[in-house]
Amino acid sequence: MTSRDTTRFLDRARHVLSIEATAIENIAQRLDAPFSEACALMLACTGRIVVTGMGKSGHVARKIAATMSSTGSPALFLHPAEAAHGDLGMITPQDVVLALSYSGESDELLTILPSLKRIGVPLIAMTGNSKSTLAREAHVWLDSAVEQEACPLNLAPTASTTVALALGDALAVAMLEERDFSAEDFAHSHPGGSLGRRLLIRVSDVMRQGDDLPTVHLDTPLRDALMEISRKGLGMTAVMDQNNALAGIFTDGDLRRALDRGVDVHHTRVLEVMTPNPITIEAGKLAAEAVRIMEERRIGALLVTEGGKLAGALNMHDLLRARVV
């Protein structure tokens, strides 16, 4: 590819992006009361927001429904052609329908309009033509008109679908804020995503406990403490006092410092080389908080407490396995 080809492609791309950015800016300037009315209708909905559209508008409608569902406004996508062959049964009087058609004259949408009227469902139309059938029959009309498509033939839906998508995002986010939808709410609908893991997984979900928890007592010989660390594979062990309360921690780092001092592992008690008052985390805390503590303190493992008593332990490998990091 020549430098001339590269320049030509980049110029075309910038031209497309400029047209679409301008289209969104123009829509933002034209937003008015109907947008608020549409939000109010959907917020008052006790059923689901049914988003529908044909062709490219259908692809956008499907994405809008997905965005709304993941941000606290239960929604579903209904294919208008399938609706005319039985899927209209998905719609109940408790629902709200958001219909997308740039021309407002999509045959598939117009076919189901009488049925929507009989059901009595509120209809929000997102079209580029205020005089279209769909706009006239709707309870609320959302203006999505653009001056031109980014396509040089002014035919392929480009700027118009970008505007429809942006309007859908605007509706979803406006309702999200009105519902006081939180990051934790978002995580509950995204349990498989990284945000879901960070906001839903607790320390208690990933910590080692029971027989997997390394523990020794204050008077344990250092050699035996090393065996406990080796068996449990956490790179450390908790040190308990005579009342079985947490007294300290002995880590790989403590061992290196002890060896630097020439300590005899056969005749030294763990009490003499441990770190007292160790950093701990409560079992009910988010696992992401454990990550933060370990990164800030530059440590590789944490002891876990519950009600002031030792409950478990974890290291960075446990958090990596849980995909919290």
Side-chain angles (χ1 to χ4, degrees), residues 34 37-38 41 95-97 113 116-117 119-125 133-142:
E37 292 169 16
L41 271 177
D95 298 331
V96 170
V97 172
L113 266 181
L116 296 178
K117 293 291 184 181
I119 295 170
V121 65
L123 174 63
I124 301 166
T133 304
L134 190 60
R136 291 198 312 270
E137 295 296 326
H139 294 81
V140 177
W141 170 62
L142 295 178

Short mmCIF file of all heavy atoms in Angstrom, two decimals, residues 34 37-38 41 95-97 113 116-117 119-125 133-142:
data_model
loop_
_atom_site.label_atom_id
_atom_site.label_comp_id
_atom_site.label_asym_id
_atom_site.label_seq_id
_atom_site.Cartn_x
_atom_site.Cartn_y
_atom_site.Cartn_z
N PRO A 34 -40.27 15.64 24.58
CA PRO A 34 -40.60 14.23 24.29
C PRO A 34 -39.58 13.23 24.84
O PRO A 34 -39.96 12.11 25.21
CB PRO A 34 -40.64 14.20 22.75
CG PRO A 34 -41.06 15.58 22.37
CD PRO A 34 -40.37 16.47 23.36
N GLU A 37 -40.56 12.70 28.30
CA GLU A 37 -41.81 11.94 28.33
C GLU A 37 -41.54 10.47 28.09
O GLU A 37 -42.15 9.59 28.74
CB GLU A 37 -42.78 12.49 27.29
CG GLU A 37 -43.29 13.89 27.58
CD GLU A 37 -44.04 14.49 26.39
OE1 GLU A 37 -44.41 13.72 25.48
OE2 GLU A 37 -44.24 15.72 26.37
N ALA A 38 -40.63 10.17 27.18
CA ALA A 38 -40.29 8.78 26.90
C ALA A 38 -39.66 8.13 28.13
O ALA A 38 -39.99 7.00 28.49
CB ALA A 38 -39.33 8.70 25.71
N LEU A 41 -42.39 7.42 30.71
CA LEU A 41 -43.20 6.26 30.33
C LEU A 41 -42.48 4.95 30.67
O LEU A 41 -43.08 4.02 31.21
CB LEU A 41 -43.50 6.29 28.83
CG LEU A 41 -44.76 7.01 28.36
CD1 LEU A 41 -44.84 6.98 26.84
CD2 LEU A 41 -46.01 6.39 28.97
N ASP A 95 -46.39 -3.44 29.42
CA ASP A 95 -45.14 -3.12 28.74
C ASP A 95 -45.18 -1.75 28.09
O ASP A 95 -46.22 -1.08 28.03
CB ASP A 95 -44.83 -4.17 27.67
CG ASP A 95 -44.65 -5.56 28.24
OD1 ASP A 95 -44.22 -5.66 29.41
OD2 ASP A 95 -44.93 -6.54 27.53
N VAL A 96 -44.00 -1.33 27.62
CA VAL A 96 -43.86 -0.14 26.77
C VAL A 96 -43.10 -0.58 25.52
O VAL A 96 -42.14 -1.35 25.62
CB VAL A 96 -43.08 0.99 27.49
CG1 VAL A 96 -42.73 2.11 26.52
CG2 VAL A 96 -43.88 1.54 28.65
N VAL A 97 -43.53 -0.11 24.36
CA VAL A 97 -42.85 -0.47 23.12
C VAL A 97 -42.06 0.73 22.61
O VAL A 97 -42.57 1.85 22.53
CB VAL A 97 -43.85 -0.93 22.04
CG1 VAL A 97 -43.15 -1.12 20.70
CG2 VAL A 97 -44.52 -2.23 22.46
N LEU A 113 -48.92 -2.43 14.13
CA LEU A 113 -49.46 -1.26 14.83
C LEU A 113 -50.89 -1.47 15.34
O LEU A 113 -51.18 -1.16 16.51
CB LEU A 113 -49.41 -0.03 13.92
CG LEU A 113 -48.18 0.87 14.03
CD1 LEU A 113 -48.30 2.06 13.08
CD2 LEU A 113 -48.00 1.36 15.46
N LEU A 116 -50.85 -3.49 18.45
CA LEU A 116 -50.34 -2.74 19.60
C LEU A 116 -51.42 -1.83 20.17
O LEU A 116 -51.54 -1.65 21.38
CB LEU A 116 -49.11 -1.91 19.19
CG LEU A 116 -47.87 -2.70 18.75
CD1 LEU A 116 -46.76 -1.74 18.33
CD2 LEU A 116 -47.39 -3.62 19.86
N LYS A 117 -52.22 -1.26 19.26
CA LYS A 117 -53.32 -0.40 19.71
C LYS A 117 -54.34 -1.21 20.51
O LYS A 117 -54.86 -0.76 21.54
CB LYS A 117 -54.00 0.25 18.50
CG LYS A 117 -53.14 1.25 17.75
CD LYS A 117 -52.90 2.49 18.58
CE LYS A 117 -52.11 3.53 17.79
NZ LYS A 117 -51.85 4.74 18.61
N ILE A 119 -53.83 -3.97 22.20
CA ILE A 119 -53.25 -4.34 23.49
C ILE A 119 -53.27 -3.16 24.45
O ILE A 119 -53.39 -3.30 25.66
CB ILE A 119 -51.80 -4.85 23.31
CG1 ILE A 119 -51.79 -6.15 22.49
CG2 ILE A 119 -51.11 -5.09 24.65
CD1 ILE A 119 -50.41 -6.59 22.05
N GLY A 120 -53.16 -1.95 23.89
CA GLY A 120 -53.19 -0.73 24.70
C GLY A 120 -51.85 -0.38 25.28
O GLY A 120 -51.76 0.31 26.30
N VAL A 121 -50.78 -0.85 24.64
CA VAL A 121 -49.44 -0.60 25.14
C VAL A 121 -48.94 0.78 24.70
O VAL A 121 -49.17 1.18 23.55
CB VAL A 121 -48.49 -1.72 24.65
CG1 VAL A 121 -48.33 -1.71 23.15
CG2 VAL A 121 -47.13 -1.62 25.31
N PRO A 122 -48.30 1.55 25.57
CA PRO A 122 -47.74 2.84 25.14
C PRO A 122 -46.67 2.63 24.08
O PRO A 122 -45.85 1.69 24.18
CB PRO A 122 -47.14 3.41 26.43
CG PRO A 122 -47.84 2.69 27.54
CD PRO A 122 -48.12 1.33 27.01
N LEU A 123 -46.65 3.48 23.06
CA LEU A 123 -45.71 3.34 21.95
C LEU A 123 -44.83 4.58 21.84
O LEU A 123 -45.32 5.71 21.76
CB LEU A 123 -46.47 3.15 20.63
CG LEU A 123 -45.63 3.13 19.35
CD1 LEU A 123 -44.66 1.96 19.36
CD2 LEU A 123 -46.53 3.09 18.12
N ILE A 124 -43.52 4.34 21.88
CA ILE A 124 -42.54 5.40 21.65
C ILE A 124 -41.89 5.12 20.30
O ILE A 124 -41.40 4.03 20.06
CB ILE A 124 -41.46 5.41 22.75
CG1 ILE A 124 -42.09 5.61 24.12
CG2 ILE A 124 -40.42 6.50 22.48
CD1 ILE A 124 -41.15 5.30 25.29
N ALA A 125 -41.94 6.11 19.41
CA ALA A 125 -41.37 5.93 18.07
C ALA A 125 -40.10 6.75 17.94
O ALA A 125 -40.08 7.94 18.26
CB ALA A 125 -42.38 6.35 17.01
N THR A 133 -46.14 7.53 9.43
CA THR A 133 -47.23 6.81 10.10
C THR A 133 -46.86 6.42 11.51
O THR A 133 -47.64 6.58 12.45
CB THR A 133 -47.59 5.55 9.30
OG1 THR A 133 -47.92 5.92 7.96
CG2 THR A 133 -48.77 4.81 9.93
N LEU A 134 -45.65 5.90 11.68
CA LEU A 134 -45.21 5.46 13.00
C LEU A 134 -45.16 6.62 13.98
O LEU A 134 -45.61 6.50 15.13
CB LEU A 134 -43.83 4.80 12.90
CG LEU A 134 -43.33 4.07 14.14
CD1 LEU A 134 -44.27 2.94 14.53
CD2 LEU A 134 -41.92 3.53 13.92
N ALA A 135 -44.65 7.76 13.54
CA ALA A 135 -44.57 8.94 14.41
C ALA A 135 -45.95 9.44 14.79
O ALA A 135 -46.20 9.80 15.95
CB ALA A 135 -43.77 10.04 13.73
N ARG A 136 -46.87 9.45 13.83
CA ARG A 136 -48.23 9.95 14.09
C ARG A 136 -48.99 9.05 15.06
O ARG A 136 -49.79 9.53 15.86
CB ARG A 136 -49.01 10.07 12.78
CG ARG A 136 -48.53 11.16 11.84
CD ARG A 136 -49.62 11.50 10.82
NE ARG A 136 -50.18 10.30 10.20
CZ ARG A 136 -49.73 9.72 9.09
NH1 ARG A 136 -48.66 10.24 8.50
NH2 ARG A 136 -50.31 8.65 8.59
N GLU A 137 -48.75 7.74 14.98
CA GLU A 137 -49.50 6.79 15.81
C GLU A 137 -48.90 6.62 17.21
O GLU A 137 -49.50 5.99 18.07
CB GLU A 137 -49.56 5.43 15.11
CG GLU A 137 -50.34 5.44 13.81
CD GLU A 137 -51.81 5.77 14.03
OE1 GLU A 137 -52.37 5.40 15.07
OE2 GLU A 137 -52.41 6.44 13.16
N ALA A 138 -47.70 7.14 17.41
CA ALA A 138 -47.01 6.94 18.69
C ALA A 138 -47.51 7.89 19.77
O ALA A 138 -48.00 8.99 19.48
CB ALA A 138 -45.51 7.14 18.49
N HIS A 139 -47.37 7.45 21.01
CA HIS A 139 -47.67 8.34 22.14
C HIS A 139 -46.58 9.40 22.27
O HIS A 139 -46.84 10.54 22.67
CB HIS A 139 -47.76 7.53 23.44
CG HIS A 139 -48.91 6.59 23.48
ND1 HIS A 139 -48.89 5.35 22.88
CD2 HIS A 139 -50.15 6.70 24.06
CE1 HIS A 139 -50.04 4.74 23.08
NE2 HIS A 139 -50.82 5.53 23.78
N VAL A 140 -45.34 9.00 21.97
CA VAL A 140 -44.20 9.92 22.03
C VAL A 140 -43.35 9.69 20.78
O VAL A 140 -43.04 8.54 20.43
CB VAL A 140 -43.34 9.68 23.29
CG1 VAL A 140 -42.12 10.62 23.29
CG2 VAL A 140 -44.15 9.89 24.56
N TRP A 141 -42.96 10.79 20.13
CA TRP A 141 -42.07 10.69 18.98
C TRP A 141 -40.70 11.26 19.34
O TRP A 141 -40.59 12.39 19.82
CB TRP A 141 -42.62 11.47 17.78
CG TRP A 141 -41.63 11.60 16.65
CD1 TRP A 141 -41.08 10.58 15.92
CD2 TRP A 141 -41.05 12.81 16.14
NE1 TRP A 141 -40.20 11.08 14.98
CE2 TRP A 141 -40.17 12.44 15.09
CE3 TRP A 141 -41.20 14.16 16.46
CZ2 TRP A 141 -39.43 13.38 14.37
CZ3 TRP A 141 -40.47 15.09 15.74
CH2 TRP A 141 -39.60 14.70 14.71
N LEU A 142 -39.66 10.44 19.13
CA LEU A 142 -38.28 10.90 19.34
C LEU A 142 -37.65 11.17 17.99
O LEU A 142 -37.55 10.28 17.14
CB LEU A 142 -37.48 9.82 20.09
CG LEU A 142 -37.93 9.53 21.53
CD1 LEU A 142 -37.08 8.41 22.12
CD2 LEU A 142 -37.84 10.78 22.40
#
